[in-house]
Amino acid sequence: MDMLHIRGLHKRFGDKEVLKGLNLSVPEHSVFGFIGKNGAGKTTTMKAVLGLLRTDDGEIMVGGEKVVYGQTSSNRFIGYLPDVPEFYPFMTAPEYLRFCGEITGGKRSENEKRSKELLELVGLGDETHRIRGFSRGMKQRLGIAQALLNRPRLLICDEPTSALDPVGRKEILDILLAVREQTTVLFSTHILSDVERICTDVAFLNDGVVSIQGKLSDVKSIYRSDEYLLEVERKEDIQGLMRAFRFMRQRADYVLAFHEKDHALFDVLRYVTEGRVSLSKLERVEPTLESLFMEVVEK
Ligand SMILES: Nc1ncnc2c1ncn2[C@@H]1O[C@H](COP(=O)(O)OP(=O)(O)OP(=O)(O)O)[C@@H](O)[C@H]1O
Ligand SMILES: [Mg+2]
């Protein structure tokens, strides 16, 4: 079942149409990377999912329940970490979680237990300082703990790693992976290596619509490139191959690249097996998310 399903979402700010019929399906228990460049409409989409934004057209379902602007009932399924989370700086992490627990209700003893568990999970279990002195990474981790307080079925994080250094980013990514057991994770980002590291599913948001979405492995294989890299053991074979095949391009001292077109691969293999070349590697170039994304954006 889809934890989140969006169909035909439209949103305009003045004369600027930001979302132009966006469709999105986030399967339950996926770690879903919502990818788009600055200004693509990621935050706008997330706010619409939370019912915080009046949209112009389209339908949003969370956990099978329709989202209605200004009503919060579907938010009981959702934990949300905004792009710039705000905290009370004079509180400590446990005080802050206790405060959030009191606002949202629930038994005090249960809240205490859950807070402790979550602070351990995000690596703040022994932290006694006030939030004022927290690094950005610590604030993001506390934000995730807070978002998980009510055991949401969908955790939405708006660019949780964008402002962090590589160590801080890795900590957040590890936490998002770890919570996958408990909840579906949807996070927005423009850092494609983060997505490659932890996501099961991805969607590219571009020009107001989702242009590609699906399982990361499917997306990569559908958009598989037709480029091959061929590595030889003897440098002199490079010249021979380039003379025989005009379409080959040199990539490094021992490496040539070519596109599979008009039986190119077959012809190259025949040339190689006829004994003239000693190969050390022949491989199809796997597309990276980066290359896919650039293709989508530049279209
Ligand atoms: N309240 C608003 N009023 C007018 N325009 C807005 C408003 N909110 C967003 N926009 C515009 O909508 C577009 C999408 O913004 P949004 O914040 O959703 O993008 P984003 O993908 O989250 O970008 P970023 O990566 O920078 O966070 C931008 O051009 C932005 O200027
Ligand atoms: Mg944003």
Side-chain angles (χ1 to χ4, degrees), residues 13 16 18 36-45 83 159 190:
F13 292 108
K16 187 169 182 186
V18 176
K37 57 185 181 181
N38 290 134
K42 303 180 293 296
T43 301
T44 301
T45 305
D83 46 359
E159 305 221 28
H190 55 259

Side-chain angles (χ1 to χ4, degrees), residues 70-291:
Q71 290 186 15
T72 53
S73 80
S74 52
N75 286 354
R76 72 185 186 281
F77 298 131
I78 303 179
Y80 174 52
L81 175 66
D83 46 359
V84 186
E86 301 270 354
F87 303 98
Y88 293 109
F90 53 86
M91 290 182 178
T92 63
E95 280 168 359
Y96 180 70
L97 289 193
R98 189 178 312 133
F99 168 75
C100 295
E102 277 167 16
I103 291 178
T104 47
K107 269 207 201 124
R108 195 181 179 136
S109 58
E110 173 60 24
N111 282 342
E112 290 279 327
K113 190 166 152 255
R114 180 74 179 148
S115 299
K116 220 166 168 238
E117 214 173 86
L118 287 170
L119 288 174
E120 290 292 331
L121 173 80
V122 300
L124 293 173
D126 299 323
E127 188 54 58
T128 54
H129 292 97
R130 295 185 192 285
I131 298 169
R132 180 181 295 123
F134 277 20
S135 68
R136 280 180 163 178
M138 289 163 78
K139 283 183 184 163
Q140 290 289 24
R141 284 188 274 141
L142 177 58
I144 293 178
Q146 183 254 310
L148 289 170
L149 210 49
N150 286 337
R151 303 181 190 276
R153 289 172 61 195
L154 175 63
L155 174 68
I156 298 181
C157 300
D158 195 357
E159 305 221 28
T161 60
S162 294
L164 305 182
D165 66 23
V167 177
R169 273 173 46 212
K170 181 168 186 318
E171 285 168 352
I172 296 291
L173 295 175
D174 288 346
I175 293 168
L176 294 183
L177 257 190
V179 301
R180 190 187 167 194
E181 304 283 306
Q182 317 173 16
T183 181
T184 304
V185 179
L186 170 67
F187 77 99
S188 64
T189 188
H190 55 259
I191 305 173
L192 296 160
S193 56
D194 286 358
V195 173
E196 301 225 43
R197 226 142 96 185
I198 66 163
C199 286
T200 57
D201 295 70
V202 295
F204 288 140
L205 174 60
N206 186 53
D207 197 20
V209 293
V210 168
S211 48
I212 297 177
Q213 74 176 306
K215 295 249 156 287
L216 180 58
S217 50
D218 291 349
V219 166
K220 277 185 154 185
S221 67
I222 292 167
Y223 291 88
R224 219 163 164 179
S225 85
D226 63 353
E227 193 182 25
Y228 284 81
L229 289 182
L230 179 144
E231 190 175 325
V232 296
E233 283 179 352
R234 294 185 305 256
K235 227 175 185 169
E236 53 271 29
D237 285 335
I238 293 279
Q239 295 311 323
L241 277 159
M242 286 183 74
R243 265 196 305 277
F245 302 106
R246 296 266 162 216
F247 51 76
M248 286 210 173
R249 297 283 170 263
Q250 189 159 6
R251 281 292 171 79
D253 281 354
Y254 294 85
V255 181
L256 291 169
F258 65 95
H259 288 276
E260 165 60 343
K261 212 166 45 187
D262 306 328
H263 312 293
L265 180 63
F266 181 78
D267 295 341
V268 169
L269 282 175
R270 190 165 57 192
Y271 182 93
V272 166
T273 50
E274 278 171 5
R276 276 169 261 187
V277 177
S278 158
L279 269 195
S280 56
K281 197 164 32 177
L282 173 65
E283 66 181 6
R284 190 172 193 155
V285 177
E286 277 292 325
T288 59
L289 270 188
E290 191 99 33
S291 63

